[in-house]
Amino acid sequence: EVQLLESGGGLVQPGESLRLSCAASGFTFSNYVMNWVRQAPGKGLEWVSTIGRSGSTYYADSVKGRFTISRDISKNTLYLQMNSLRAEDTAVYYCAKDLAGVLAPDFWGQGTLVTVSS
Amino acid sequence: DIVITQTPLSSPVTLGQPASISCRSTQSLVHSDGNTYLSWLQQRPGQPPRLLIYKVSNRFSGVPDRFTGSGAGTDFTLRISRVEPEDVGVYYCMQTALTVRRFGQGTKLEI
């Protein structure tokens, strides 16, 4: 059974850093494209970042230069390092895997809430 | 930058009646591999999103056949043939043809 379990969210002050983790199980982690998507309170979905099977990384303009996506294949874990956090980064952060061979997120975790506030 | 526009943003529907959502892109969603990467996702209240349709018209595993995706190039549609109570939620189209992925604003389906 596929499982994605996000952790690491919490309350931080503007300018601080946070690292999110997404523990994956039930599939061969290294074979899949993985994503981070966020949703601000009461708002729509916003794509944040993607890491390809080869390790190529892609970012939304709103986080480029501040966030870093990475993965540890030995630990089956996806990460999102978030630096220089802003109030507008407040959101539930979801990790999601792509459907095999298809550019579409087919399985999502339950999300972890990040609140940036002084 | 690519812009994805969904219409309507809110759709009151009647149980048993059809519903339709439009998704338009400012750029073609045909990938260099020849496939068109436009997906539809459903988000029920309090839940993470769920994939309904991928590559324009392919129904994901377990998705009822009352959901149908269609379109090409820059213009796409999600149709629900007969709305059921469990269809209430917000529907998003999402393009993954470009390395910078993007969602539409979402369409709230309410009974």
Side-chain angles (χ1 to χ4, degrees):
Chain A
E1 178 191 4
V2 172
Q3 290 194 13
L4 295 172
L5 185 60
E6 301 96 335
S7 61
L11 173 63
V12 296
Q13 296 194 349
E16 292 186 341
S17 298
L18 205 58
R19 188 177 80 158
L20 305 183
S21 300
C22 172
S25 60
F27 63 102
T28 305
F29 181 65
S30 59
N31 288 351
Y32 287 82
V33 174
M34 297 294 297
N35 308 273
W36 287 102
V37 173
R38 68 185 180 184
Q39 187 168 36
K43 302 297 184 183
L45 300 173
E46 180 187 13
W47 172 77
V48 173
S49 183
T50 293
I51 185 165
R53 291 183 300 166
S54 63
S56 302
T57 58
Y58 310 94
Y59 299 93
D61 287 346
S62 58
V63 307
K64 196 177 296 183
R66 299 188 300 124
F67 289 13
T68 302
I69 190 172
S70 63
R71 63 184 180 180
D72 186 331
I73 292 172
S74 68
K75 295 182 179 178
N76 284 352
T77 301
L78 178 73
Y79 300 103
L80 186 68
Q81 177 66 42
M82 305 186 294
N83 298 333
S84 303
L85 283 162
R86 306 167 180 167
E88 54 265 36
D89 296 319
T90 294
V92 173
Y93 284 73
Y94 295 101
C95 73
K97 62 172 279 293
D98 269 11
L99 184 59
V102 178
L103 301 175
D106 71 324
F107 193 86
W108 297 63
Q110 291 297 311
T112 186
L113 176 62
V114 173
T115 303
V116 184
S117 174
S118 54
Chain B
D1 284 357
I2 188 171
V3 176
I4 307 293
T5 302
Q6 283 184 234
T7 54
L9 297 184
S10 178
S11 179
V13 295
T14 303
L15 294 178
Q17 293 300 304
S20 179
I21 301 169
S22 169
C23 176
R24 290 202 167 109
S25 170
T26 55
Q27 296 181 35
S28 171
L29 300 185
V30 179
H31 192 270
S32 56
D33 67 6
N35 290 303
T36 301
Y37 289 107
L38 187 284
S39 301
W40 290 95
L41 299 97
Q42 175 197 61
Q43 188 175 31
R44 292 171 173 152
Q47 295 188 17
R50 165 198 179 199
L51 181 65
L52 296 177
I53 303 286
Y54 62 94
K55 288 198 297 184
V56 181
S57 59
N58 294 270
R59 212 172 287 117
F60 185 56
S61 174
V63 174
D65 60 8
R66 64 178 181 274
F67 291 93
T68 302
S70 63
T74 61
D75 200 348
F76 306 94
T77 302
L78 176 70
R79 290 187 174 87
I80 308 173
S81 59
R82 294 173 307 278
V83 173
E84 301 283 339
E86 60 267 30
D87 298 338
V88 166
V90 182
Y91 290 77
Y92 297 91
C93 60
M94 179 189 189
Q95 74 80 16
T96 53
L98 308 177
T99 54
V100 175
R101 299 183 168 191
R102 194 146 292 169
F103 291 93
Q105 314 97 303
T107 296
K108 188 173 185 179
L109 204 70
E110 43 201 356
I111 309 294

